[in-house]
């Protein structure tokens, strides 16, 4: 049976009371309660039993306990389960503990005020502080020693000549709503192997760092605020590592240091500084107005930011040095007084979906041997370069946008290497400048509105440019420096105020399939003694108002080779300075007032079809419908196709419906509301194009289409490269399909590249209007994967109302694939041995029917492979019969795709 707790009272006078707290403690047993009357008590207390100590009555802190010995704590706890409420405890030596918990002791302090010394939990001791205040201590306000544990709630630590809270090696601390202010050292210090969780804590004005983490410690800080620190907001000299690839969880760290929902404001140096073996993850944090970098990583450290804001750093926003690894995603870095991102030494930086704007120096600067990868970032409004890579740095850019840079949008120099793909550079002084001797590759980049050159290749450099677009530049579009040897393919230059393409002296570029149009001066200016090749290029003026400059200007000693090039819509095609020795191979001029090149219109390049098609990589392809088609023949041809039973049924039902529509029209009756436009959904190789071609011929046979021909188009045939290009281009393809079927394969690609520089939406809007204006003249079929097509149709209300019928093309079964191979064999005068059919069925059964499966295309490719293997097999026979040549056997079937 548990004994009843006894209440012991302490008062200066009165019957039945102890005159000192020590006397009451000597009389108390575990579980007893000691109530103390208001007043001051000068004592040195050792609590070696589990008691509760609290005021008898009166206001909080009316009981003041003063240390009697300068060398000893006011209160020493050696027993577990000790609880003290509402007392004021004052030590005599600020450098020593005012309250000390030792051994296996456990102390709970609630509503207490401790001055003149720290609160310390020794090894293996436990400490709970709730609604307490610690002040006037030296060295530390609260110290949790090795292997100790503490829970701190609504604690205030202030006016400490040292660190606010110290968490020793292997200790564990949970701090909730703790306030640390006016301390000369760090706000919170967590050391080797310790674990600390801080929630909604406020650290203001420490003389050093707000949070200091060392050695193998682990810290989780949630919704905390660190402000006005004399040094770093958070300094991590080392920590336990986070597992590679582990997802960051907001509530706890698997290792390292986690800051989630925290604010780091007005720091004396770095907002967050990570060095040594430190490992830090910042989630949804805000760092603002620091006197140094926002986040810096050095040594072997790792720092990761997700959905953070780094604002107005007086240094660079993000810094990586040494061999550090730094990454950021969904983050904004704005208003940095230096670089937005600085990577040096051997650091590795990966940044995705991040904004870097309004920096005083280059927004992104990669130097030394650093490696920087930028994916889908938005960079702009910087006084210098948007991105600069120099020394031996490696730069990779995937997508993204750079705007309004004081110098170049991208500058690559020294021996830096760069691979830039899908980047848009808008406005600014210049677009992309490559002056590096390292490997530089630019692909699908878009440069528009630069005050000077769009893309520059420096002296002696050899970059690779593929499918890049330059428009609206103030001087030249593309500049190739002296002795440079770049490779340029599939690019376009339009609306340059100066020359479109400038080739410097002694340069030797390799230029293929490039379009230069509407330039203020020459389409191409070739410098002295320059050489190189121009193949399948188009150099176009501005139509009837062409420039007075010749399209091609070749300086003295220039000797380029031009093959299959076209000059059109200009006053003069070629001007040669003395000593120029160009070679023109199969080149033409068209609509040139003073031509020097041949002008045979029938020999012109396909790109000369009109100003709206120049530079396009693909155009619409037309297949004429045979004139002698009958409906019965067409339906028989449809049903003769392998597989597609569901599609055959749907098309047959549509034919019946269309015939009824035609009969109503012949009788002078209004046709029912019916959309003839279709969605063909299915994987590649399932016969969508074949059925579309038949569908057009069937509608012509029924009398609902005039010709029934098929025009095949994809994104490249419909979407233009600059403002005002897409509408005419789409209209031309649509007009080509009038009287027949317009088949748009992978139609969802029109909506997959959303952005200010993409014109897929304009193509869709144009199509919708044309389908309304010519509803009886053209049937539009859009095709692609099922899920993507569903998303595509929902992307525009006009599409959803016109494409309300979907035909599902299911994957072929093995028997149907075998029949396709048999059909191919008969067509090419081969025969399948009976056991070959069985082996083919088994082979198709083993093929995975995933998204990459080619269906009919796979069957045709397999047939081709069989004929090749049969040829090799028969070639080794000494006596070859006609049967050997005709027959395909199981050994001719390849067993790998």
């Amino acid at each position: 049976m548990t004994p009843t707790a006894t209440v012991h009272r302490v008062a200066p006078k009165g019957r039945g009371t102890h005159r000192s707290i020590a006397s009451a403690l000597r009389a108390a047993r575990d579980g007893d309660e000691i109530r103390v009357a208001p007043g001051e008590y000068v004592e040195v207390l050792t609590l070696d039993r589990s008691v509760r100590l609290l005021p008898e009555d009166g206001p909080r802190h009316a009981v003041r306990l003063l240390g009697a010995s300068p060398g000893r704590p006011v209160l020493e706890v050696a027993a577990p389960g000790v609880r003290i409420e509402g007392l004021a405890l004052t030590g005599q030596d600020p450098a020593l503990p005012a309250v000390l918990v030792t051994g296996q002791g456990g102390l709970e302090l609630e509503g207490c005020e401790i001055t003149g010394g720290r609160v310390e939990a020794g090894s293996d001791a436990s400490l709970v502080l709730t609604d307490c205040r610690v002040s006037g201590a030296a060295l530390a306000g609260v110290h949790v020693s090795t292997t100790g544990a503490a829970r701190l709630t609504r604690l205030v630590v202030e006016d400490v000549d040292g660190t606010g809270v110290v968490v020793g090696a292997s200790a564990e601390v949970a701090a909730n709503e703790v306030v640390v202010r006016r301390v000369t050292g760090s706000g919170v210090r967590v050391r080797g192997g310790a674990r600390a969780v801080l929630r909604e804590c406020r650290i203001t004005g420490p003389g050093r760092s707000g949070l200091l983490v060392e050695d193998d410690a682990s810290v989780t800080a949630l919704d905390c605020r660190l402000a006005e620190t004399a040094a770093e907001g958070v300094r991590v000299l080392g920590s336990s590592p986070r597992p590679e690839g582990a997802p960051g969880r907001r509530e706890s760290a698997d290792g390292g240091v986690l800051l989630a929902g925290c604010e780091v404001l007005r720091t004396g140096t770095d907002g967050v500084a990570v060095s040594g073996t430190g490992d830090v993850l910042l989630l949804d944090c805000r760092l603002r107005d620091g006197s140094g970098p926002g986040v810096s990583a050095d040594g072997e450290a790792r720092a990761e930011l997700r959905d953070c804001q780094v604002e107005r750093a007086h240094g660079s926003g993000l810094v990586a040095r040494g061999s550090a690894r730094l990454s950021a995603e969904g983050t904004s870095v704005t208003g940095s007084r230096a670089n937005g991102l600085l990577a040096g030494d051997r650091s590795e930086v990966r940044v995705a979906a991040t904004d870097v704007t309004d920096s005083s120096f280059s927004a992104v600067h990669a130097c030394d041997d650093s490696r920087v990868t930028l994916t889908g970032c938005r960079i702009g409004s910087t006084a210098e370069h948007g991105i600069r890579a120099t020394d031996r740095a490696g730069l990779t850019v995937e997508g993204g946008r750079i705007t309004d840079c004081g110098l170049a949008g991208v500058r690559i120099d020294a021996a830096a290497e760069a691979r830039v793909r899908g980047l848009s550079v808008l406005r600014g002084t210049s677009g992309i400048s490559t002056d590096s001797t390292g490997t530089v590759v630019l692909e699908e980049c878009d440069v528009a509105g630069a005050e000077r050159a769009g893309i520059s290749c420096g002296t002696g450099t050899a970059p690779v440019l593929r499918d890049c677009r330059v428009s609206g530049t103030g001087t030249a579009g593309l500049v190739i420096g002296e002795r440079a040897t770049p490779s340029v393919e599939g690019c376009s230059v339009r609306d340059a105020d100066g020359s479109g393409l400038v080739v410097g002296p002694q340069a030797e570029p390799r230029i293929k399939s490039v379009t230069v149009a509407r330039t203020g001066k020459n389409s191409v200016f070739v410098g002295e003694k320059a050489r190189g090749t121009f193949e399948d290029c188009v150099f176009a003026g501005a139509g009837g108002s062409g420039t007075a400059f010749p399209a091609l200007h070749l300086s003295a000693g220039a000797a380029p080779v031009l093959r299959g090039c076209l000059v059109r819509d200009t006053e003069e095609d070629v001007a040669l300075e003395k000593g120029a020795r160009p070679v023109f191979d199969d080149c033409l001029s068209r609509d040139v007032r003073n031509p020097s090149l041949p002008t045979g219109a029938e020999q012109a390049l396909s790109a000369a079809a009109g100003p709206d098609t120049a530079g396009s990589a693909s155009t619409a392809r037309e297949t004429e419908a045979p004139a002698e088609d009958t409906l019965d023949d067409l339906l028989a041809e449809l049903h003769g196709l392998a597989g597609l039973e569901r599609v055959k049924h749907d098309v047959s039902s549509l034919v019946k419906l269309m015939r009824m529509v035609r009969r109503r029209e012949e009788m002078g009756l209004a046709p029912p509301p019916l959309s003839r436009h279709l969605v063909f959904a299915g994987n590649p190789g399932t016969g969508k194009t074949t059925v579309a071609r038949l569908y057009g011929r069937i509608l012509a046979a029924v009398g609902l289409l005039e010709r029934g021909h098929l025009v095949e188009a994809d994104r490249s045939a419909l979407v233009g490269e600059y403002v005002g290009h897409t509408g005419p281009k789409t209209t031309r393809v649509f007009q080509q399909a009038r009287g027949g079927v317009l088949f748009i394969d992978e139609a969802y690609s029109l909506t997959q590249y959303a952005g200010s520089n993409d014109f897929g939406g304009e193509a869709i809007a144009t199509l919708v209007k044309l389908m309304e204006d010519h509803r009886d003249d053209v049937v539009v079929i859009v095709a692609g994967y099922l899920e993507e097509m569903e998303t595509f149709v929902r992307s525009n209300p006009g599409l959803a109302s016109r494409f309300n019928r979907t035909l599902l093309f299911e994957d072929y079964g093995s028997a149907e694939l075998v029949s396709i191979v048999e059909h191919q064999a008969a067509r090419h005068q081969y025969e399948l041995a009976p056991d070959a059919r069985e082996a083919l069925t088994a082979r198709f059964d083993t093929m995975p029917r995933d998204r990459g499966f080619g269906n009919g295309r796979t069957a045709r490719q397999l047939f081709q492979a069989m004929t090749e293997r049969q040829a090799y097999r028969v070639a080794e026979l000494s006596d070859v019969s006609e049967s050997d040549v005709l027959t395909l056997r199981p050994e001719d079937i390849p067993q790998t795709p």
Side-chain angles (χ1 to χ4, degrees):
M1 181 176 180
T2 303
T4 303
T6 302
V7 176
H8 305 271
R9 287 180 168 78
V10 178
K13 58 183 179 179
R15 297 182 63 182
T17 61
H18 297 275
R19 296 294 179 261
S20 68
I21 300 174
S23 172
L25 283 171
R26 286 192 293 271
R29 297 174 300 176
D30 286 341
D32 285 356
E33 187 175 282
I34 299 174
R35 294 184 173 269
V36 184
E40 289 189 352
Y41 298 83
V42 180
E43 302 189 42
V44 175
L45 300 179
T46 300
L47 280 70
D48 57 0
R49 60 205 69 189
S50 302
V51 297
R52 183 183 180 197
L53 186 60
L54 68 162
E56 177 66 41
D57 52 28
R60 178 178 284 191
H61 307 150
V63 176
R64 303 192 63 81
L65 184 57
L66 309 178
S69 173
R72 295 191 58 188
V74 180
L75 185 66
E76 184 172 347
V77 177
V82 175
R83 180 178 176 85
I84 299 176
E85 301 175 15
L87 272 61
L89 307 163
T90 303
Q92 289 198 19
D93 189 344
L96 296 177
V99 176
L100 175 63
V101 188
T102 62
Q104 299 295 321
L107 171 63
E108 292 186 33
L109 293 174
E110 182 176 352
C112 295
E113 184 175 272
I114 301 96
T115 59
R118 65 182 176 273
V119 178
E120 181 171 330
S123 300
D124 299 323
S126 64
L127 174 67
V128 176
L129 294 175
T130 305
D131 295 318
C132 295
R133 182 184 304 271
V134 178
S135 62
L139 302 180
V142 176
H143 185 190
V144 184
S145 299
T146 304
T147 66
R151 185 171 71 250
L152 314 176
T153 304
R154 296 183 297 280
L155 169 69
V156 176
V157 180
E158 60 187 3
D159 300 317
V160 175
D161 188 13
T163 303
V165 178
V166 176
V167 184
S170 301
E172 294 193 8
V173 169
N176 300 304
E177 301 180 53
V178 171
V179 174
V180 179
R181 59 195 178 204
R182 299 191 301 275
V183 298
T184 62
S186 298
V188 176
R189 182 183 183 188
V190 186
R191 298 191 289 183
R195 294 177 60 86
V197 178
L198 315 178
R199 296 176 184 269
E200 299 184 39
C201 295
R202 301 291 182 265
I203 300 172
T204 306
R208 295 184 181 176
S209 305
L211 170 63
L212 175 61
V213 184
E214 301 173 279
D215 303 325
D216 294 324
S218 174
V219 176
T220 298
L222 307 175
D223 302 315
C224 295
R225 186 174 185 268
L226 302 92
E228 300 170 7
T229 60
E232 304 88 349
V234 177
R235 185 181 186 189
V236 181
L237 299 176
S239 69
S240 62
R242 290 187 295 122
E244 288 287 346
R249 294 191 295 271
R250 191 181 191 279
E251 294 303 318
S252 64
D254 295 322
V257 178
L258 167 65
L259 306 176
C262 295
E263 289 187 306
V264 183
L265 311 174
R266 300 181 295 281
T267 56
T269 56
D270 307 36
V272 176
V274 193
S275 59
T277 58
D279 195 341
V280 175
L281 171 62
L282 292 89
L283 301 177
D284 192 25
C285 291
R286 185 180 186 188
L287 298 89
R288 189 179 65 192
D289 296 321
S291 295
V295 177
S296 65
D298 204 346
E300 302 292 330
R302 179 166 68 141
E304 181 177 358
L305 297 85
R306 300 184 195 171
D307 302 318
C308 294
Q309 301 173 44
V310 181
E311 303 173 349
R312 300 196 297 268
H314 282 240
S316 296
L318 306 176
V319 177
R321 294 285 193 187
S323 299
R325 291 176 293 164
L326 185 148
S327 63
E329 182 176 355
T331 292
S332 66
V333 181
T334 60
S336 302
R337 297 289 181 86
N339 304 111
L341 166 63
L342 172 62
D345 297 330
R346 300 167 306 283
S347 61
E348 295 185 12
V349 176
R350 292 183 174 273
V351 180
T354 288
D355 295 347
V356 184
T357 57
D358 297 311
S359 53
S360 297
F361 299 166
S362 296
V364 176
H365 185 94
C367 59
D368 301 326
D369 296 285
S370 61
R371 294 292 179 266
V372 174
T373 300
L374 307 174
T375 305
C377 294
R378 295 166 294 275
I379 297 169
S381 301
T382 174
E384 295 187 353
H385 305 292
I387 302 173
R388 185 184 181 193
T390 187
D391 299 328
R392 297 160 303 281
L395 172 69
T396 301
V397 180
E398 286 285 343
R401 180 173 179 173
I402 298 176
T403 58
D404 302 306
C405 296
L407 298 177
V410 178
R411 179 171 176 79
I412 306 155
D413 56 31
E417 297 189 347
R419 294 186 176 273
V420 183
R421 184 174 182 272
L423 176 68
S424 294
V425 181
L426 305 180
R427 301 181 295 276
T429 300
S430 59
I432 301 175
S433 174
T434 67
D435 287 291
S436 172
T437 58
T439 301
V440 176
V441 178
L442 308 178
E443 295 182 286
E444 300 176 21
C445 294
D446 191 346
V447 179
E451 295 176 11
R452 298 179 184 172
I455 299 178
S456 300
C457 308
T459 301
T461 61
V464 175
L465 283 66
R466 300 191 188 100
D467 301 318
C468 295
R469 297 183 296 271
V470 179
S471 61
T473 55
T475 57
L478 172 59
V479 176
I480 298 172
E482 185 175 359
R483 300 189 307 280
T485 57
S487 173
V488 184
E489 183 173 355
C491 299
S492 65
V493 178
R494 289 182 169 84
D495 301 305
D497 287 348
S499 295
L501 175 56
V502 176
V503 180
Q506 301 180 58
E508 194 169 345
R510 297 176 300 279
I511 299 175
K512 183 176 181 180
S513 302
V514 168
T515 297
V516 182
R518 300 190 302 271
T519 58
K521 295 183 179 179
N522 309 110
S523 291
V524 180
F525 182 94
V526 181
E528 295 181 359
K529 299 181 180 179
R531 300 175 65 85
T533 59
F534 296 77
E535 185 176 349
D536 297 333
C537 297
V538 176
F539 307 118
S545 58
T547 176
F549 291 81
L552 307 176
H553 182 104
L554 306 180
S555 300
V561 176
L562 293 91
R563 296 190 183 96
C565 295
L566 171 70
V567 180
R568 60 178 174 83
D569 300 322
T570 188
E571 290 287 321
E572 184 180 359
D573 52 9
V574 180
L576 303 179
E577 292 187 15
K578 185 176 181 180
R581 303 182 309 277
V583 175
F584 293 100
D585 181 8
D586 195 25
C587 295
L588 297 170
S589 287
R590 187 174 184 184
D591 296 326
V592 175
R593 183 168 299 180
N594 299 301
S596 298
L597 298 173
T599 58
E602 297 304 320
Q603 303 170 25
L605 298 177
S606 60
D612 298 316
T613 64
S616 298
S618 176
T619 58
R621 184 176 62 181
E622 180 176 331
T623 302
E624 185 60 72
E628 65 278 7
D629 283 338
T630 67
L631 182 58
D632 290 340
D633 290 340
L634 293 170
L635 291 176
E637 185 177 345
L638 172 68
H639 288 286
L641 297 176
L644 303 177
E645 298 306 322
R646 181 173 177 177
V647 171
K648 294 172 185 175
H649 177 270
D650 290 343
V651 172
S652 297
S653 299
L654 281 171
V655 169
K656 295 177 183 177
L657 183 59
M658 297 299 179
R659 295 180 76 173
M660 185 271 295
V661 169
R662 182 61 176 163
R663 287 179 185 142
R664 286 183 63 88
E665 290 177 340
E666 291 172 348
M667 296 172 64
L669 300 174
L674 174 68
S675 174
R676 295 179 293 177
H677 310 300
L678 300 175
V679 177
F680 282 8
N683 291 331
T686 48
K688 295 187 292 293
T689 306
T690 300
V691 174
R693 189 175 293 111
L694 271 172
Y695 185 62
R697 294 162 63 190
I698 289 171
L699 291 182
V702 173
L704 291 178
L705 284 177
E706 181 180 353
R707 292 173 55 194
H709 66 294
L710 182 77
V711 174
E712 300 175 58
D714 57 12
R715 174 186 168 86
S716 63
L718 301 173
V719 177
E721 300 170 349
Y722 51 85
V723 175
H725 190 193
T726 296
K729 195 173 185 181
T730 303
T731 300
R732 191 190 68 255
V733 173
F734 190 92
Q735 294 292 349
Q736 184 181 350
R738 289 187 65 177
V741 173
L742 174 58
F743 180 79
I744 305 175
D745 198 14
E746 296 182 351
Y748 45 79
S749 65
L750 296 174
T751 60
Q752 284 185 334
Y753 304 93
S756 62
N757 289 326
D758 181 69
F759 305 107
E762 182 182 350
I764 292 174
T766 303
L767 272 175
V768 169
K769 185 177 186 304
L770 290 169
M771 290 164 69
E772 178 64 26
D773 294 343
H774 306 282
R775 64 179 67 187
D776 296 328
D777 295 344
V778 176
V779 169
V780 180
I781 298 176
V782 291
Y785 293 110
L786 176 61
E787 293 182 2
E788 284 86 341
M789 293 308 301
E790 290 175 346
T791 303
F792 167 72
V793 171
R794 291 196 302 267
S795 70
N796 184 294
L799 295 177
S801 65
R802 288 165 176 80
F803 292 101
N804 52 25
R805 187 185 299 271
T806 298
L807 271 60
L808 182 60
F809 287 69
E810 298 174 336
D811 288 336
Y812 289 122
S814 296
E816 294 162 341
L817 292 170
V818 171
S819 72
I820 293 175
V821 174
E822 287 183 312
H823 175 77
Q824 290 291 310
R827 180 180 175 187
H828 293 87
Q829 295 182 313
Y830 285 91
E831 296 177 355
L832 287 179
D835 52 353
R837 292 186 182 88
E838 298 175 3
L840 267 175
T841 302
R843 178 70 185 90
F844 285 126
D845 285 342
T846 62
M847 289 184 177
R849 300 298 203 272
D850 55 17
R851 190 180 177 105
F853 182 63
N855 285 287
R857 185 185 310 119
T858 297
R860 290 187 292 273
Q861 291 171 346
L862 186 60
F863 168 72
Q864 180 179 349
M866 290 174 66
T867 61
E868 293 172 357
R869 291 170 62 91
Q870 187 241 30
Y872 298 146
R873 176 175 58 79
V874 172
E876 296 178 355
L877 299 177
S878 58
D879 185 14
V880 180
S881 65
E882 181 179 353
S883 176
D884 292 329
V885 174
L886 293 176
T887 306
L888 297 175
R889 303 189 182 281
E891 55 265 34
D892 299 325
I893 302 172
Q895 294 306 306
T896 56

